[in-house]
Amino acid sequence: MTPDRIAAIGAGAALVVFLLVFFFGRRRETAAGSAITIVVDGGYAPDLIVARRGVPLTLVFDRRDSSPCTDEVVLPEFRIRRFLPTGTKTAIAITPESEGEFSFSCGMSMLHGKIRVVR
């Protein structure tokens, strides 16, 4: 083998490794154990929160919408129902103890979001 072929094979292998790590490597997830702000304005943004099992998480609902539908948030699996005053931020602390997807919604069940709990 010539040096240019060895260099080409090495460069190709490095590119393959980079692409595998870039597309299939571990992804950064929403940091569990911290405060995650969810903007309430005609919906929830973000509407999917990824959390770690057993790690405390604080959801901060920032209500900007004044419609009656958004004046309450319900997290049924965590047995939480909380009033959200317009123009303020309301913190809700949870510690997910099991893996899976857990929904949250407005009091009228018209707006929806999910908390995905992973290991």
Side-chain angles (χ1 to χ4, degrees):
M1 271 204 207
T2 61
D4 61 331
R5 287 188 180 202
I6 293 172
I9 291 171
L15 178 62
V16 168
V17 169
F18 170 77
L19 290 174
L20 287 173
V21 170
F22 183 79
F23 287 108
F24 301 107
R26 194 166 195 166
R27 297 279 184 219
R28 289 186 130 193
E29 299 170 346
T30 303
S34 62
I36 306 300
T37 300
I38 301 168
V39 176
V40 182
D41 193 6
Y44 298 113
D47 61 355
L48 174 63
I49 308 298
V50 179
R52 296 231 178 253
R53 182 183 71 197
V55 178
L57 175 66
T58 301
L59 304 172
V60 180
F61 288 88
D62 181 5
R63 182 176 177 214
R64 299 178 184 175
D65 188 345
S66 61
S67 72
C69 182
T70 61
D71 67 359
E72 187 176 39
V73 66
V74 180
L75 293 91
E77 286 84 1
F78 298 97
R79 296 185 183 132
I80 295 173
R81 182 176 214 105
R82 190 76 47 88
F83 178 72
L84 304 175
T86 304
T88 61
K89 295 179 180 180
T90 305
I92 299 174
I94 62 170
T95 302
E97 296 299 334
S98 59
E99 295 174 28
E101 288 192 349
F102 305 98
S103 64
F104 59 92
S105 67
C106 67
M108 296 179 182
S109 196
M110 295 174 67
L111 307 176
H112 300 275
K114 287 184 185 175
I115 302 167
R116 181 176 296 147
V117 181
V118 296
R119 272 186 212 192

